[in-house]
Amino acid sequence: MRAKRVSLFRRGAGEAIAATIAFAVLSLAIAYIILGAVPRLSIAPSTASGAVLGGVEQLVVIQREMEVGSNRTIVIEVLNAGSAPVRIDAVLVTVGGTPLLVRLGSKSICNSTQPGVLVPRSSTIIICSRADYKPVGIVTQGGKVFVVNPRIEALFEKPTGIPMKTLYGGVTVTSTSSLLRLLYNKTIVYSGAINTTIPMKLLLNKSSEYVNAQLSASLVVVGLNPVNGKLNILIIGNATSGNSITVGNDAVDLSRAGALRYRLKIENFTGVIQIGSSPAGPGIYPCLINTGKSCRVTISSSEPADIIRLYTNTTTLTPQAVGLDPYIFVGDIDGDGNTETIFVTQDFTTGNSGSVNDVNKRFNRVALDSSLKPVRLILSTVNGSQYSAAVLSIRFFYWDNSIDDISDNDNRVIVRAGLLDTATGEVRYSVALSYYELCRYRHPPFSISYVTKDFMIYIPSENKEFQVFIELADPYSNTGNRNDADILIGLSYIGMSLVSR
């Protein structure tokens, strides 16, 4: 009798196991039929869950297409969105329309990028080595079945995103001359870019010369040229007694020539630059802006610098237009390997809605600068027949000298990105950052705080080339005590992702 009972038990267990397997296969077959009823549809997660000892078992299964070797392959990504660790025993695949259970492992036709237990909030990708095996779901050791949940979104018909391409970053530019190739309007470097209340003239323009100077400065920018390890320098201020500069055989007493204002620009400098008694490395030194006192700057070159340009004030009292060159700086200011392009109209002091922002207090002369033409950089070209949209990711920092922010200035556009019609120069689409938005990223006293913003740009469906651009502008000129901000904005990185049409 005992032997008979054992025999019956074994037979019953075998039948139960067979029924369980049949039910599992039938369930998987039904899942496959459901999936097969909507071919080429996918990409929505399955979130079925069940309570297990130690937490809730909940997996999300997403179907993807990815590069495996030299081929595009259908894979599934499995995310543990529950609170319990899960071991994935098998992956459901189809071959010739037949649902199969396949163990995962290095010797199997299907493997996991993260074998073993899948802990909460981790993920793995299931890849099958044979092209005729398509993963559509998984089975856990606890017996739960999770499959891709088809939705109305076509995997192969959806727009394909192209990985981000660097348009500006690293050593895209290393000097003002290399920035020229990106400028849409190259003539503004020398004239017609900035309207200023203290006009400047180019007093010295030298190349391959030694330079030595003793200066009083309100703002100093020092950056590295990552290509050769030399320094680019921009010094802004108004000269006092004893200030001088010697370039080669030319010596200039700045106490008169730059009493109202000067801007000194040096590129590929080798030697020593000191602020006070300390050597100055890459960075921005706000001096007068933060402390109310000018810096004492000493420069002594050990090798000839490539470019030395000295801009000094004129005796003209009426506003005039000048070129962009003294307002633009190129150099790596933070040692991250990216050469920033910095547009700076700031000279001296801060202000509020009851006072003028930028003033030479020694002579009580207002030093306000505003853009006549924007600094527009052409970054790339795209064809409207191939791409429907572009996403520009822009890393930058911003500062202006208005203490009162929006009480002091109206909301005007400062940064704009978009598309130009290559043939006509017409702006076909653009998005912008205005002053009120940018005020969120700066706080007096001066400090650098990088921000990354994404710009979605829609591309017209036309079989023609469009130029991708970014432009910077100072839209503020004096109207009483308001709308008189001067700005400092630095571009660090620009990347672009395209969406296929």
Side-chain angles (χ1 to χ4, degrees), residues 15-347:
E15 290 174 348
I17 292 170
T20 301
I21 293 173
F23 179 78
V25 172
L26 179 61
S27 299
L28 296 176
I30 292 172
Y32 174 72
I33 292 169
I34 294 172
L35 290 170
V38 281
R40 299 163 68 90
L41 297 181
S42 68
I43 307 293
S46 168
T47 57
S49 64
V52 297
L53 186 62
V56 175
E57 188 178 272
Q58 179 169 329
L59 302 180
V60 177
V61 183
I62 305 171
Q63 187 169 312
R64 299 192 183 282
E65 185 181 25
M66 64 180 289
E67 289 280 354
V68 177
S70 59
N71 300 317
R72 301 293 293 180
T73 302
I74 302 300
V75 303
I76 56 172
E77 182 176 0
V78 183
L79 170 66
N80 188 347
S83 57
V86 177
R87 182 180 293 276
I88 298 173
D89 284 335
V91 61
L92 174 65
V93 298
T94 66
V95 55
T98 303
L100 296 175
L101 291 174
V102 178
R103 295 285 181 183
L104 293 176
S106 58
K107 296 182 180 180
S108 174
I109 60 172
C110 296
N111 202 356
S112 169
T113 58
Q114 184 177 314
V117 175
L118 194 64
V119 299
R121 297 188 180 180
S122 67
S123 65
T124 187
I125 292 177
I126 309 300
I127 304 171
C128 297
S129 58
R130 288 179 50 174
D132 53 347
Y133 280 66
K134 301 292 190 299
V136 293
I138 61 99
V139 177
T140 70
Q141 191 175 34
K144 298 294 180 181
V145 178
F146 297 85
V147 297
V148 176
N149 182 14
R151 298 288 174 86
I152 306 174
E153 184 176 5
L155 170 64
F156 299 106
E157 295 176 2
K158 66 182 294 188
T160 303
I162 295 178
M164 184 164 288
K165 172 185 176 183
T166 298
L167 303 182
Y168 179 97
V171 291
T172 303
V173 297
T174 58
S175 64
T176 306
S177 58
S178 63
L179 184 69
L180 272 173
R181 64 184 176 81
L182 298 182
L183 276 173
Y184 178 74
N185 183 352
K186 296 173 176 53
T187 64
I188 66 171
V189 172
Y190 308 108
S191 64
I194 305 294
N195 187 59
T196 179
T197 58
I198 301 183
M200 290 185 295
K201 63 181 179 181
L202 180 58
L203 185 64
L204 287 177
N205 184 12
K206 298 288 185 177
S207 59
S208 301
E209 294 279 8
Y210 289 87
V211 55
N212 297 277
Q214 295 284 336
L215 303 168
S216 177
S218 57
L219 180 65
V220 182
V221 186
V222 181
L224 190 71
N225 180 341
V227 172
N228 56 27
K230 297 183 179 182
L231 296 177
N232 294 342
I233 301 168
L234 177 64
I235 303 175
I236 300 169
N238 63 296
T240 58
S241 178
N243 284 187
S244 64
I245 180 170
T246 302
V247 181
N249 295 322
D250 295 315
V252 177
D253 179 0
L254 275 183
S255 61
R256 289 182 59 85
L260 295 179
R261 178 193 210 179
Y262 74 86
R263 289 192 173 213
L264 174 62
K265 189 170 185 177
I266 307 173
E267 293 187 337
N268 288 326
F269 169 86
T270 303
V272 176
I273 174 171
Q274 287 186 316
I275 296 181
S277 59
S278 302
I284 298 179
Y285 301 85
C287 300
L288 188 63
I289 303 169
N290 278 7
T291 68
K293 297 179 180 180
S294 296
C295 297
R296 186 179 79 256
V297 181
T298 305
I299 293 174
S300 178
S301 63
S302 57
E303 295 178 8
D306 285 1
I307 297 294
I308 307 103
R309 297 193 187 103
L310 175 63
Y311 295 85
T312 58
N313 57 256
T314 71
T315 56
T316 302
L317 296 178
T318 57
Q320 287 188 342
V322 296
L324 176 66
D325 187 55
Y327 297 89
I328 206 79
F329 172 87
V330 176
D332 179 6
I333 63 169
D334 53 10
D336 66 352
N338 291 314
T339 50
E340 282 81 10
T341 292
I342 299 174
F343 176 48
V344 51
T345 57
Q346 164 76 45
D347 286 89

Side-chain angles (χ1 to χ4, degrees), residues 1-10:
M1 291 296 292
R2 289 180 182 175
K4 189 175 182 179
R5 282 197 293 269
V6 171
S7 175
L8 287 173
F9 175 78
R10 287 176 177 170

